Amino acid sequence: MQVFHTIKQTQEWCLEQKMKGKRVGLVPTMGYLHEGHLALVKEACRQCDAVVVSIFVNPTQFGVGEDFERYPRDLAKDKELLETTRADVIFAPEAPDMYPAGYDTFVEVFGEITGKLCGASRPGHFRGVATVVSKLFLICQPDAAFFGQKDAQQVMIIEKMARELNFPITIVRVPIVREPDGLAMSSRNVYLDAEQRQQALVLNQALQKAEQAILAGERDLAVVKKLLVETIESSPLAEIDYAEIYSAEDLSNLDLIKGRVLMAVAVKFGGTRLIDNRLVEV
Ligand code: AMP
């Protein structure tokens, strides 16, 4: 496992792989890796011959007052975990290399997919994500890039961006990996104390209940949304940021539950904001 800290080394290595005719896969992450990230890496190793995992806590996707400074970081442990996979390279750039002084170029994403959910509660977040992912795409020039369904809105935005900016890259979605008790794995779970960790199970439970109601025939969106909200509110420590149901194709509004729907929730426990979601096909 090689660790590159510079853009130049990474660019050269990726180019060399492509010249050898290898299929290059990229897995963008912010590090502090867990089994969710490793599922992406394993899928990349399955589909590609040369795999780069980027580890970069991207400052431009954090808003003022968010957790950029305290976001957990442990490159040595990340490397150990990645050594259990067939990934070839860790790309761990320094912020001043990615964003030198006077940096002025950003990728703006607009529209219905971007304006809702995390786009509404974290202004500028997806501009930072689109910018860093575009930079990683241009540095690594992968054939395929791997993203988790855990960040459902993010992967939708990246698919659209890749299409609209003509990145010749296949975007691969990987299903959500959960802890045995159902909590979606997240680097931010380490922020939770024991009681918050226990109550955080309510995200998956609410999504599960709502899914069961739909599968049992409920088609009234307001009824399903109420079920989501009331289940989450049954946890005294939970503070809902959003609990919404949209079309899974383009996050357009629905009046009835029909087609593929995305149920997405963001809930705060103390200072920790967790997200989760479920796709249901009717
Ligand atoms: P992050 O390091 O949180 O920015 O995540 C990097 C990538 O891993 C993103 O594409 C996430 O969607 C994905 N990811 C994070 N947690 C999970 C999970 N529990 N299951 C599947 N993918 C995940």
Side-chain angles (χ1 to χ4, degrees):
M1 167 86 38
Q2 302 189 71
V3 183
F4 297 148
H5 291 285
T6 69
I7 291 171
K8 192 164 179 286
Q9 271 177 313
T10 310
Q11 228 161 16
E12 282 172 2
W13 187 86
C14 290
L15 203 63
E16 201 182 302
Q17 304 310 306
K18 286 172 80 81
M19 298 221 296
K20 287 185 197 158
K22 292 194 176 178
R23 181 172 169 82
V24 175
L26 169 68
V27 183
T29 82
M30 297 204 298
Y32 213 73
L33 303 180
H34 50 66
E35 285 296 327
H37 296 113
L38 295 186
L40 270 61
V41 175
K42 286 173 190 163
E43 187 55 30
C45 293
R46 214 178 57 75
Q47 294 192 23
C48 301
D49 312 303
V51 171
V52 181
V53 180
S54 65
I55 295 181
F56 180 56
V57 184
N58 173 39
T60 64
Q61 71 189 68
F62 287 80
V64 178
E66 290 188 352
D67 57 343
F68 173 69
E69 276 85 14
R70 72 174 185 131
Y71 195 86
R73 295 158 168 92
D74 190 344
L75 185 58
K77 183 163 160 257
D78 289 346
K79 183 165 180 269
E80 257 175 47
L81 281 173
L82 288 172
E83 269 161 358
T84 68
T85 73
R86 286 199 304 100
D88 301 282
V89 160
I90 295 175
F91 173 43
E94 304 292 340
D97 202 12
M98 290 292 271
Y99 300 109
Y103 186 92
D104 274 336
T105 306
F106 291 86
V107 177
E108 283 286 2
V109 281
F110 299 96
E112 194 148 41
I113 293 183
T114 302
K116 294 175 167 174
L117 304 176
C118 292
S121 34
R122 303 183 67 187
H125 171 65
F126 287 122
R127 174 189 199 245
V129 170
T131 300
V132 79
V133 169
S134 297
K135 287 172 71 75
L136 293 168
F137 282 180
L138 292 167
I139 292 165
C140 302
Q141 304 202 17
D143 295 285
F146 298 78
F147 295 87
Q149 182 62 26
K150 160 88 183 343
D151 297 84
Q153 186 180 19
Q154 169 174 283
V155 70
M156 290 174 81
I157 291 171
I158 286 164
E159 284 168 350
K160 192 163 193 281
M161 178 189 82
R163 222 170 34 240
E164 293 179 352
L165 290 182
N166 311 103
F167 282 110
I169 299 170
T170 305
I171 307 299
V172 181
R173 291 189 189 204
V174 178
I176 301 177
V177 178
R178 298 179 179 280
E179 300 285 356
D181 61 8
L183 180 68
M185 289 193 180
S186 164
S187 309
R188 289 191 168 96
N189 290 349
V190 294
Y191 295 149
L192 301 170
D193 66 27
E195 199 173 350
Q196 291 168 336
R197 170 68 183 74
Q198 185 56 34
Q199 292 201 17
L201 295 178
V202 80
L203 275 80
N204 183 46
Q205 287 162 357
L207 291 164
Q208 222 161 18
K209 266 197 191 175
E211 180 183 39
Q212 279 161 5
I214 295 172
L215 296 178
E218 184 58 67
R219 294 291 175 270
D220 187 331
L221 193 130
V223 170
V224 181
K225 205 164 139 177
K226 190 158 173 272
L227 191 59
L228 266 181
V229 169
E230 285 179 356
T231 308
I232 297 170
E233 282 175 346
S234 70
S235 269
L237 298 179
E239 190 192 320
I240 297 180
D241 178 356
Y242 61 70
E244 300 288 353
I245 304 171
Y246 293 122
S247 158
E249 308 307 327
D250 53 7
L251 296 191
S252 55
N253 292 333
L254 297 168
D255 38 9
L256 274 182
I257 306 275
K258 61 172 187 287
R260 282 172 74 239
V261 298
L262 179 74
M263 303 189 286
V265 299
V267 180
K268 281 187 188 158
F269 292 88
T272 304
R273 184 177 173 280
L274 302 179
I275 58 171
D276 200 350
N277 69 81
R278 195 75 116 241
L279 274 174
V280 188
E281 182 131 24
V282 179

